[in-house]
Amino acid sequence: RFLDRRRLKAACEPKDMMRYLLYDMATTLAAPAGAIWLAARSRHRPLLRRFSPLATPRGARPLWLQACSVGELMAIKPLLEALRARWPDMPFLLTTSTVSGRRWADSANLPASLAYFPFDHAAVVSRFLRLAQPRALVLLETELWPNVVRLSRRAQVPVVLLSARLSDKHLARYHRFQSVLRPVFAGLTAVGAQNEEYARRFAAMGVAPSALRVTGNIKFDGVRTEGRDELRHRVLAENGYPPDARVLRVG
């Protein structure tokens, strides 16, 4: 029930379509300038692939996970490994939005196919969805992109936001563009908020109460609280503490 696909069948209202049309006009105008800027900088040139990202072969029906950069990728790695352990036969597609994130993912031996996250233009996102044919999309924290959510919903792809947060800064910004973003929030199939306050904020922005849960911060799930005994004993000895002294790990 939490991922009820019937909720995805409702079409956007005409006023919402007009807002998306204006948004697409803005991204269409911005795309050439952005592509030129990326092409002129060798460090960022790989991001040109976000305009035509590769995806898994047609028919693979992967679970699509998006992690913006290195921090989010490190947080999502334990989740990805847990999903792989639970569903070993399911294909996974992991996308990222930055060059540093892609380099980290390439070297991390993750159990997933890798691709760049598509630029949020209707034509780019539509092509990506057509090629990847994901069975669901998992976003992290504040990765809300109007066309990605809208077109995934149109393609009957559930969209889940995990470790969701709405800081004061983001909330103020979203309120300024609420007329455009409210359909995006309403299009989310499920939201796992970091705390009760964030859950209330997501509800105020249009997420259905039945789609909200408080699930905590996924970044804490991958924190190691146990160190190697020999390392701990050496550090304690070097600082004049007995081997059975209590240790508080920070960071």
Side-chain angles (χ1 to χ4, degrees):
R1 188 172 59 84
F2 195 36
L3 295 177
D4 189 354
R5 294 172 69 91
R6 290 177 297 179
R7 295 182 55 230
L8 303 174
K9 294 182 179 179
C12 291
E13 298 179 3
K15 61 180 180 180
D16 295 336
M17 294 305 300
M18 179 57 67
R19 292 166 184 154
Y20 280 117
L21 178 60
L22 293 174
Y23 177 77
D24 280 338
M25 291 174 63
T27 55
T28 299
L29 293 173
I36 292 172
W37 189 90
L38 292 173
R41 290 161 172 79
S42 58
R43 177 183 176 185
H44 300 290
R45 199 169 295 150
L47 293 178
L48 287 170
R49 280 183 275 173
R50 291 192 60 187
F51 291 96
S52 183
L54 299 176
T56 53
R58 186 178 178 88
R61 298 299 314 280
L63 177 61
W64 174 16
L65 300 97
Q66 158 63 6
C68 180
S69 192
V70 175
E72 291 75 18
L73 284 163
M74 294 176 69
I76 212 170
K77 181 181 178 181
L79 171 63
L80 181 57
E81 292 172 344
L83 291 171
R84 169 66 71 186
R86 182 165 184 176
W87 293 298
D89 296 328
M90 180 184 293
F92 294 91
L93 171 63
L94 179 63
T95 57
T96 185
S97 306
T98 64
V99 175
S100 59
R102 179 56 187 266
R103 288 173 179 165
W104 187 91
D106 283 334
S107 63
N109 193 29
L110 299 172
S113 300
L114 301 177
Y116 274 104
F117 188 65
F119 177 67
D120 198 47
H121 185 278
V124 178
V125 175
S126 294
R127 179 181 181 274
F128 187 90
L129 289 169
R130 187 171 64 253
L131 291 174
Q133 293 188 318
R135 64 185 69 204
L137 167 59
V138 177
L139 303 170
L140 205 64
E141 295 192 347
T142 57
E143 282 286 288
L144 294 177
W145 296 94
N147 277 319
V148 168
V149 175
R150 175 177 70 97
L151 295 174
S152 294
R153 180 178 64 179
R154 177 183 290 179
Q156 305 294 296
V157 176
V159 181
V160 179
L161 183 64
L162 293 182
S163 199
R165 62 184 177 90
L166 265 183
S167 64
D168 294 340
K169 179 180 178 181
H170 280 101
L171 185 63
R173 184 184 305 162
Y174 288 166
H175 271 303
R176 286 199 299 271
F177 301 99
Q178 190 169 7
S179 62
V180 175
L181 292 175
R182 192 171 184 84
V184 178
F185 284 87
L188 295 173
T189 312
V191 174
Q194 292 185 10
N195 55 45
E196 293 284 355
E197 177 59 28
Y198 288 160
R200 284 191 290 270
R201 293 179 179 183
F202 274 97
M205 288 299 297
V207 176
S210 61
L212 276 166
R213 300 287 189 279
V214 176
T215 56
N217 190 336
I218 195 174
K219 289 183 177 178
F220 295 155
D221 295 337
V223 173
R224 293 185 58 189
T225 57
E226 297 287 338
R228 291 179 303 179
D229 286 342
E230 64 271 19
L231 176 61
R232 181 168 59 87
H233 292 160
R234 190 180 76 229
V235 171
L236 288 170
E238 289 174 350
N239 289 277
Y241 292 100
D244 58 346
R246 286 179 173 269
V247 177
L248 173 64
R249 289 173 58 107
V250 180

